[in-house]
């Protein structure tokens, strides 16, 4: 599904990723672990096409997306990618449902269809009762579940999560990870970047990033 | 996207209100200038219409005048129904320089001047030293002149037989500080006359052409006065409006800086949107919509503001309330255009920021 071949990235002369090569298969649930500053967020942004690699190939279904122009990357993201942030990033002046509608609207879906799907997704993640609430009225767990629902809005094949439990308490963290696991069962590939070792149990594969190098744990 | 832009603005009402206030003041100035100039123009035209479109003045530039039969000829030929010679001289009256009109009794019928006290002079007074004075002369700073008293014009005493009502005027101006005496002398400097119903300015010019060379006379009609009046009011209104337009332009810079600041402050939002699949165009359009909507809000505020105070002003000054909806649309369109224009640079910057930049903000 996705392959990284010899990916390099540096900032200001400092190598953040060095010769990163990996293979992601459909239905994988990958936990990427690393200390702060190890390059795991950069790795995730390169996977999501938010950053360009300095060198190397990123193959998506056989096609090198590293060479995509900005416009092509936007289209690729719309069709294939869902992204979950660490700090509960819902747009504050839109309701939970409107936030979930965003990727569908950008995909060109009709407003009514987008709303119907958003309602289904929010019900699925257990936020049906708060779907019309503003993000500031949601609890941390509800907001993160709504963010996951948004990441699923465009029916992506790949869901990237950057420290999705970073700002949650243990109970809400468990709920969110279980939810991601459920999503993964629908053959959605999930890649979670975290520094929290307790999340490793949810993944079928664990990768470690240290000093810019990626290693898969056996 | 329109709904999202609207939602953002509704959530930030105070920012929107304060940003649009500058635009509102400029719009209010533009609309007020337009409303007032149109109202003043309408009021002036209404007043000028009171004199009728058939009242005409003729200025003569020939010092030896016209034959005595000239006035009779014009009436006999049916070109005019009424005619009065008119000469204006500036003379000293009680030490003040004053305009003295030398005219015939029909002058009062032609000019529609009205009296506060006394009477106008008639044919019977033509050989007498009598005068009709303006209200300002009658009640000047030094003393009050009453009917029957005498005033001295160039060392000749004239008896005051009439005092004009305050603000008496005709096409030549206000008569508050003027004195009108029976015409004396051989050669008038001009005429006030009433054209017959079927006659026009051209037929009068043809008739005058029999006695005078083209360069020796000039005809001034009510329409000429209206047109020159309109030129003056248009000029004043035009200058004022351009000042207001410049202030609108300056407000657009204010809007630009606000959109720029809010656009930069919302970098994370752009990052979220871009990661959800938004393209440059989506961000650009949203910010331009917001910018245009703020300008539209300013236009609405300005319209309400100006409508309120113009209504008050119109009723205080007794001016007709004038509204040209086509112009209102034009100004509204121009404002929104300025608003969108002001949003282009900040929107372009926000749209072109990379997702990584936005998410790290």
């Amino acid at each position: 599904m996705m392959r990284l071949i010899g990916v390099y990235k540096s900032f200001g002369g400092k190598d953040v990723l060095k010769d990163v090569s990996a293979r992601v298969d459909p239905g994988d649930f990958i936990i990427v672990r690393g200390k702060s500053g190890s390059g795991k967020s950069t790795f995730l942004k390169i996977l999501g096409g938010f950053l360009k690699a300095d060198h190397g190939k990123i193959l998506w279904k056989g096609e090198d997306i590293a060479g995509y122009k900005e416009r092509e990357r936007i289209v690729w993201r719309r069709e294939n990618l869902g992204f979950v942030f660490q700090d509960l990033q819902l747009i504050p002046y839109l309701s939970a449902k409107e936030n979930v509608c965003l990727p569908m609207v950008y995909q060109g879906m009709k407003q009514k269809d987008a709303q119907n799907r958003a309602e289904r997704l929010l019900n699925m993640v257990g936020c049906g009762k708060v779907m019309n609430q503003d993000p500031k009225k949601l609890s941390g767990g509800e907001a993160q579940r709504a963010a996951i629902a948004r990441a699923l809005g465009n029916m992506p094949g790949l869901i990237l999560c950057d420290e999705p439990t970073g700002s949650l308490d243990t109970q809400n963290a468990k709920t969110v990870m279980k939810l991601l696991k459920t999503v993964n069962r629908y053959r959605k590939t999930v890649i979670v970047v975290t520094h929290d070792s307790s999340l490793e149990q949810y993944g079928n594969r664990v990768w470690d990033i240290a000093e810019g190098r990626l290693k898969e744990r056996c | 996207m329109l709904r999202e832009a609207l939602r953002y603005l509704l959530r930030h009402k105070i920012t929107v209100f304060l940003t649009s206030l500058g635009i509102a003041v400029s719009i209010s100035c533009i609309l007020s200038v337009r409303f007032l100039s149109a109202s003043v123009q309408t009021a002036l035209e209404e007043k000028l219409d009171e004199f009728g479109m058939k009242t005409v003045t003729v200025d003569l530039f020939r010092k030896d005048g016209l034959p005595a039969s000239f006035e009779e000829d014009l009436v006999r030929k049916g070109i005019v129904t009424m005619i009065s010679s008119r000469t204006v001289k500036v003379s000293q009256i009680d030490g003040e320089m004053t305009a003295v009109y030398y005219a015939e009794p029909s002058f009062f019928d032609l000019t529609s001047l009205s009296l506060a006290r006394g009477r106008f002079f008639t044919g019977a007074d033509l050989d007498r030293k009598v005068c009709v004075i303006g209200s300002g002369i009658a009640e000047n700073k030094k003393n009050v002149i009453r009917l029957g008293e005498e005033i001295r014009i160039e060392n000749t005493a004239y008896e005051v037989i009439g005092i004009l009502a305050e603000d008496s005027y005709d096409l030549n101006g206000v008569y508050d500080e003027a004195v009108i005496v029976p015409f004396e002398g051989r050669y008038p400097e001009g005429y006030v006359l009433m054209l017959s119903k079927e006659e026009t300015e051209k037929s009068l010019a043809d008739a005058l052409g029999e006695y005078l060379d083209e360069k020796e006379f000039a005809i001034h009609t009510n329409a000429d006065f209206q047109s020159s009046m309109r030129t003056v009011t248009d000029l004043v209104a035009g200058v004022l409006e351009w000042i207001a337009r410049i202030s609108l332009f300056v407000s657009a810079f204010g809007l630009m800086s606000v959109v720029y600041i809010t656009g930069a402050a919302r970098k994370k939002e752009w990052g979220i949107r871009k990661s959800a699949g938004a393209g440059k165009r989506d961000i650009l359009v949203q910010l331009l919509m917001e910018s245009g909507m703020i300008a539209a809000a300013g236009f609405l505020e300005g319209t309400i503001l100006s409508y309120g105070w113009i209504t008050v002003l119109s009723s205080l000054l007794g001016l007709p309330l004038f509204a040209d909806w086509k112009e209102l649309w034009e100004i509204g369109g121009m404002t929104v255009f300025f608003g969108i224009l002001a949003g282009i640079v900040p929107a372009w910057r926000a749209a072109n920021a990379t997702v990584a930049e936005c998410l790290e903000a």
Side-chain angles (χ1 to χ4, degrees), chain B residues 85-122:
Chain B
S85 58
R86 189 208 60 174
T87 297
V88 191
K89 283 182 182 164
V90 177
S91 304
Q92 259 203 347
I93 298 176
D94 295 335
E96 297 275 338
M97 299 307 283
T98 308
V100 179
Y101 286 78
Y102 295 85
E104 285 158 2
S106 56
F107 178 79
F108 298 108
D109 298 320
L110 285 159
T111 51
S112 311
L113 294 176
S114 53
L115 281 165
R117 289 187 293 280
R119 64 179 179 85
F120 293 126
F121 53 78
T122 62

Side-chain angles (χ1 to χ4, degrees), chain B residues 137-176:
Chain B
I137 302 274
E139 290 176 31
N140 60 35
K141 286 175 199 165
K142 291 177 192 164
N143 54 356
V144 176
I145 300 169
R146 293 188 178 83
L147 290 177
E149 287 183 10
E150 287 185 341
I151 56 167
R152 298 193 77 79
I153 304 170
E154 304 292 349
N155 295 324
T156 306
Y158 286 80
E159 183 196 342
V160 177
I161 59 165
I163 296 171
L164 293 174
E166 208 176 325
D167 293 332
S168 283
Y169 61 90
D170 73 353
L171 292 175
N172 297 297
V174 180
Y175 284 77
D176 285 356

